[in-house]
Amino acid sequence: MRELNTIAVVGASLAGLRAVQALHREGFTGAVTLIGGERHLPYNRPPLSKSMLRGDDEITLPGAEELGEHWLKGRHAVSLDAGDKRLTLDDGSEVRYDGLVIATGARPRRLADHPRGVHTLRTVEDSLALRAELAAGPARVVVIGGGFIGGEVASTVRALGLPVTLVDSSPYPMLGALGEDASRWLAGHHRDHGVDLVGGVRVTGFESDGRVTGVRLDDGRTLPADLVIAGMGVEPNTGWLEGSGLELGDGVLCDENLFAVGAADVVAAGDVARWPHSLYGGALVRVEHWSNANDQGTAAALNLLAGPANAKPFDDLPSFATHVHGARVQTAGLPHLADESRLVAGSPDEGRFALAFAKDGVLVGAVAVNSPKDLIRVKRAVAAGGSLESLV
Ligand SMILES: Cc1cc2nc3c(=O)[nH]c(=O)nc-3n(C[C@H](O)[C@H](O)[C@H](O)COP(=O)(O)OP(=O)(O)OC[C@H]3O[C@@H](n4cnc5c(N)ncnc54)[C@H](O)[C@@H]3O)c2cc1C
């Protein structure tokens, strides 16, 4: 372990919490300052689009209670001077560090004007506000974006017995993440569960009379709406790092060990980190999944303690699961990099299947619907650098 006296962690959610826990577990005896923009104990975001909308409020992350009161709750870092190793907070105070973990996550993308009745979903407050609106039984709910958050919200809205229209810019939802076969299946699955799917159109804005009344599409149509949930992806929270001396570009640019490029005392983890993944020929990736933030928070903190010369590359395979109208959809690796895919178990007609994805003959990812064992089998082959043929 190298000599560090004070470590600052910015972002008190999943990746930040795991970093602090790892520092404690490793026996780091210096001072740890955790700075978090939210006022809650670190909590799990996946339930915000699922169980919490149905009334279950239990979302605190296991381990959050270990933080006690030793953190700066509801405080934002507003700037960083990486050369001088100094953070400035929103109350004007400064925090000096020997080592820094950046875990500031991401925020929802928005259209320019969001009238009342248009919601995004990232925080506990967002979920509670949406829950209250759903309880009023709106007649016309529109979800923008068929990604995992949009798909889960549409699924929850149907389970509550409300009508929902799902708009996606691709012909099928999650086309990029799942590939054509699985996303075509997903479109049918939404329709089978009463979702009115509008594919291949972009939302350009909203009609409102103070509150949203419609969603304007780029094909000239307007969808009537009383309640809108915009799930149009996220942007990494790096605004506060402008001018810091760190390299930014769709996240904090890191090396393979999660050190910010050119900074031996700064690491990044979770939704905000973009790093070269060795399994993909060093391609830069930024992963917006729970398991990535969970594992990377730990790995980044351990590498910070070890120092660049003794650090270990972070090359875990990204993996992700979502539940839509009772079906379990899982991915592993990065299927979107593939130039070829093959059905390796079941069939879409049965609603149970697995697909393997390869680039230049080498496996890069897997998608499984209601087939968790097949997902594990293909995931292992991807991690081992296998080929499509190695699966038969
Ligand atoms: C509704 C929803 C459902 C999801 N469902 C799934 C799922 O089913 N499966 C899955 O794999 N993933 C899911 N995810 C994604 C997963 O939750 C994220 O990948 C994970 O939360 C990332 O953790 P993080 O710690 O990197 O960032 P975040 O959770 O975004 O936390 C970042 C924290 O940093 C704080 N912060 C930001 N800027 C500053 C600053 N300048 N100073 C101080 N603090 C700051 C923020 O307030 C926030 O508390 C879901 C996400 C959402 C929103």
Side-chain angles (χ1 to χ4, degrees):
M1 212 188 277
R2 67 174 164 165
E3 194 66 23
L4 295 173
N5 293 318
T6 58
I7 294 180
V9 178
V10 184
S13 181
L14 180 57
L17 172 64
R18 295 301 182 240
V20 172
Q21 287 178 303
L23 294 174
H24 290 159
R25 258 196 326 272
E26 278 305 286
F28 177 70
T29 52
V32 178
T33 305
L34 174 62
I35 301 143
E38 296 184 77
R39 295 195 168 273
H40 312 280
L41 281 176
Y43 58 89
N44 247 332
R45 295 187 201 277
L48 302 182
S49 51
K50 309 173 183 76
S51 51
M52 190 165 219
L53 290 181
R54 295 191 299 269
D56 182 353
D57 289 345
E58 186 38 64
I59 56 168
T60 301
L61 274 166
E65 66 288 346
E66 291 167 29
L67 292 174
E69 287 301 311
H70 301 294
W71 51 299
L72 303 177
K73 219 185 274 187
R75 278 270 85 85
H76 278 92
V78 291
S79 66
L80 165 70
D81 183 334
D84 203 24
K85 301 187 189 182
R86 183 166 41 90
L87 293 157
T88 304
L89 308 189
D90 52 5
D91 61 355
S93 62
E94 291 188 343
V95 174
R96 293 191 172 269
Y97 63 83
D98 301 321
L100 172 65
V101 181
I102 297 174
T104 46
R107 64 183 183 286
R109 225 173 257 137
R110 295 167 63 90
L111 290 171
D113 64 324
H114 273 196
R116 210 155 44 79
V118 179
H119 293 246
T120 55
L121 194 48
R122 186 78 193 176
T123 65
V124 66
E125 288 81 6
D126 294 340
S127 185
L128 290 174
L130 180 56
R131 183 164 97 187
E133 292 238 34
L134 288 170
R140 300 168 305 179
V141 180
V142 175
V143 175
I144 306 172
F148 66 87
I149 292 182
E152 288 173 357
V153 170
S155 167
T156 303
V157 173
R158 287 302 299 135
L160 293 170
L162 299 169
V164 61
T165 302
L166 180 61
V167 186
D168 198 273
S169 55
S170 297
Y172 310 114
M174 298 188 81
L175 180 60
L178 303 181
E180 179 149 354
D181 294 333
S183 64
R184 199 188 276 266
W185 171 86
L186 182 59
H189 186 61
H190 274 304
R191 290 198 169 104
D192 289 348
H193 287 81
V195 176
D196 180 13
L197 198 60
V198 180
V201 285
R202 289 187 173 277
V203 170
T204 55
F206 303 102
E207 302 281 333
S208 91
D209 58 6
R211 185 185 165 90
V212 70
T213 55
V215 175
R216 284 199 297 266
L217 306 179
D218 65 357
D219 63 2
R221 278 184 292 168
T222 297
L223 300 172
D226 308 308
L227 174 63
V228 176
I229 300 98
M232 304 177 297
V234 295
E235 293 170 355
N237 284 323
T238 53
W240 67 283
L241 293 167
E242 299 290 342
S244 64
L246 299 185
E247 278 191 43
L248 308 175
D250 185 31
V252 176
L253 293 185
C254 298
D255 66 14
E256 67 278 15
N257 302 324
L258 305 173
F259 280 93
V261 169
D265 40 33
V266 181
V267 291
D271 283 16
V272 78
R274 188 153 174 250
W275 83 106
H277 202 301
S278 60
L279 272 175
Y280 301 107
L284 283 171
V285 298
R286 193 172 63 74
V287 176
E288 297 161 1
H289 300 164
W290 192 95
S291 57
N292 180 68
N294 188 60
D295 300 342
Q296 220 170 43
T298 303
L302 295 183
N303 279 348
L304 183 63
L305 289 180
N310 299 310
K312 292 196 187 113
F314 186 81
D315 56 8
D316 288 11
L317 212 55
S319 61
F320 169 75
T322 182
H323 289 83
V324 188
H325 312 292
R328 183 174 182 189
V329 180
Q330 293 171 282
T331 71
L334 299 173
H336 71 271
L337 297 180
D339 52 29
E340 195 183 353
S341 72
R342 192 175 293 170
L343 189 68
V344 293
S347 88
D349 290 344
E350 293 167 25
R352 192 195 70 77
F353 61 98
L355 294 154
F357 293 79
K359 180 173 167 50
D360 301 328
V362 179
L363 289 169
V364 291
V367 168
V369 172
N370 294 323
S371 256
K373 287 189 182 148
D374 293 306
L375 193 276
I376 292 169
R377 180 168 66 94
V378 184
K379 185 177 172 181
R380 286 201 182 119
V382 175
S387 63
L388 277 175
E389 281 61 40
S390 69
L391 289 169
V392 286

